[in-house]
Amino acid sequence: MGLDISYEAVAAEAYAHINSAGVGMGIGIQCDIATPTLVKHGSEKLKELFVRPTISGEKVACLGVSEVGGGSDVAALRTTARREGDEWVINGGKMWTTNGAQADWMCLLANTSNGDVHRNKSLFCLPMDTPGVAVHRVIEKMGMHASDTAEITFEDARIPYDYLIGEEGKGFTYQMQTFQNERIYIAAGTIAAMDRCMAATIEYTSQRKAFGKSILDNQYVHYKLAEFQTELECVRALYYKCIDDFIAGEDITPLATMLKLKSARLARQITDGCLQFWGGMGYTDDVLISKMHRDLRLMSIGGGADEVMLSILCKYMGISPDMR
């Protein structure tokens, strides 16, 4: 449709108004993380086979990047795709695969040669009903209960040669580019969820009475909420700048990385701080704030842990030890 990333961001904000963050996460994988590279670099055949039915909702997509022992270290992945005639033979496994238990196909990143770890990887469309592909287990998580997460294994799984997305050896680069979309998408939903968390907490604390006055009337409480709102607006400004710069065609890697880092950390502070103001009710499953507390905790882990974001920023700043 030729729409820019601002439409994706608005959709992510809307999904945050569903009382289960796992729904937005599943949709995000489907529309904004597993498919963009295929849309940009895939053949017309692959677009017809995989993009069109994914957009229409006939097929569910997942992304196969993280592996056992190497969640955020994409360069270190060990899954291989070896060419044999007109086929690729895939061996290995993927971990933390959102939508993995129900997906019809996977956007798979695998090693297709030896050598430089940033130039030996390629992306593929892998039908999940391919012989040799198995859902090893569905992972039980602390939050995001509406979103399935699976460990997937590959044992001599064969796919046609032309299921390769774009050029061989460009997979790592393609995936890094898509991660910028993902960081904006994650931040969009996280910011909107923090807005809801703040609004719900202000409403609750204004009505809940203790020691003859509302909880909100305590100076510490309303000062802390004002502080949270200030930080939230700063993150929102960075979020809007990332969108504007992305649309303008600029490299937003440093800013998107900062956005992912700061929005995730602020979500931890706001959900934990607000939950405290709910008292005992905040520790029950009866209220939304406890669900937000567990669901949004993922934001500092999924899509690149905080520590990985810091490592990327240090490299851009030229202060990483391996650059000095």
Side-chain angles (χ1 to χ4, degrees):
M1 295 175 65
L3 304 180
D4 61 46
I5 199 169
S6 66
Y7 292 83
E8 172 185 317
V10 169
E13 291 178 26
Y15 301 148
H17 288 269
I18 300 170
N19 289 343
S20 178
V23 176
M25 187 165 74
I27 295 172
I29 291 291
Q30 173 95 347
C31 301
D32 301 299
I33 298 169
T35 50
T37 300
L38 180 54
V39 171
K40 188 173 182 180
H41 299 287
S43 66
E44 291 305 314
K45 174 183 176 180
L46 291 182
K47 291 176 185 178
E48 285 296 320
L49 285 174
F50 297 100
V51 176
R52 187 177 294 280
T54 300
I55 291 173
S56 68
E58 298 170 60
K59 289 187 176 182
V60 174
C62 66
L63 179 69
V65 173
S66 296
E67 298 187 355
V68 175
S72 294
D73 189 0
V74 177
L77 67 82
R78 292 172 291 179
T79 296
T80 61
R82 184 184 73 258
R83 185 175 182 182
E84 284 190 5
D86 293 332
E87 294 181 315
W88 295 98
V89 183
I90 301 166
N91 284 281
K94 295 296 175 181
M95 189 67 167
W96 314 121
T97 310
T98 303
N99 294 352
Q102 59 178 315
D104 297 294
W105 70 278
M106 172 186 286
C107 179
L108 170 73
L109 185 65
N111 294 321
T112 47
S113 67
N114 297 317
D116 188 333
V117 295
H118 300 111
R119 295 182 175 85
N120 72 336
K121 295 169 176 56
S122 303
L123 280 171
F124 301 90
C125 291
L126 172 67
M128 294 294 283
D129 60 358
T130 301
V133 177
V135 177
H136 180 66
R137 64 181 173 125
V138 177
I139 301 165
E140 297 295 326
K141 308 184 298 298
M142 132 182 199
M144 297 291 187
H145 295 157
S147 172
D148 64 280
T149 305
E151 180 181 357
I152 313 294
T153 60
F154 316 115
E155 185 175 354
D156 292 331
R158 293 176 176 269
I159 58 173
Y161 176 77
D162 60 3
Y163 278 25
L164 171 71
I165 300 174
E167 296 180 43
E168 183 178 345
K170 291 288 187 68
F172 183 88
T173 299
Y174 293 157
Q175 195 56 55
M176 292 303 107
Q177 292 170 347
T178 301
F179 281 158
Q180 309 319 312
N181 291 57
E182 180 183 30
R183 287 166 192 163
I184 290 177
Y185 183 91
I186 289 172
T190 302
I191 290 168
M194 286 190 280
D195 284 336
R196 294 190 68 200
C197 183
M198 290 287 292
T201 301
I202 290 170
E203 180 180 7
Y204 178 78
T205 56
S206 67
Q207 297 173 358
R208 176 75 167 86
K209 298 270 193 302
F211 304 105
K213 61 181 179 180
S214 73
I215 300 296
L216 187 60
D217 283 343
N218 288 276
Q219 186 183 72
Y220 176 79
V221 175
H222 56 253
Y223 273 18
K224 194 64 180 177
L225 290 172
E227 182 181 339
F228 284 157
Q229 191 66 46
T230 301
E231 294 215 30
L232 180 51
E233 294 307 323
C234 290
V235 171
R236 199 190 318 273
L238 178 58
Y239 161 59
Y240 289 152
K241 178 170 175 52
C242 282
I243 291 174
D244 288 343
D245 288 357
F246 188 93
I247 293 171
E250 298 180 22
D251 177 14
I252 65 163
T253 302
L255 288 181
T257 302
M258 293 174 189
L259 176 64
K260 166 69 168 62
L261 173 69
K262 185 60 180 175
S263 62
R265 287 192 166 182
L266 185 58
R268 290 161 62 182
Q269 295 170 15
I270 287 180
T271 55
D272 188 69
C274 286
L275 186 148
Q276 184 70 24
F277 298 150
W278 285 69
M281 284 302 299
Y283 199 64
T284 71
D285 288 334
D286 296 339
V287 294
L288 182 61
I289 191 71
S290 63
K291 178 187 286 289
M292 286 185 163
H293 187 269
R294 356 179 253 275
D295 286 351
L296 293 183
R297 183 60 182 84
L298 177 64
M299 300 305 105
S300 279
I301 300 171
D306 285 359
E307 293 73 20
V308 175
M309 299 299 102
L310 289 168
S311 178
I312 293 169
L313 290 173
C314 286
K315 290 177 181 177
Y316 267 87
M317 295 170 67
I319 59 176
S320 180
D322 58 3
M323 299 180 68
R324 292 187 286 110

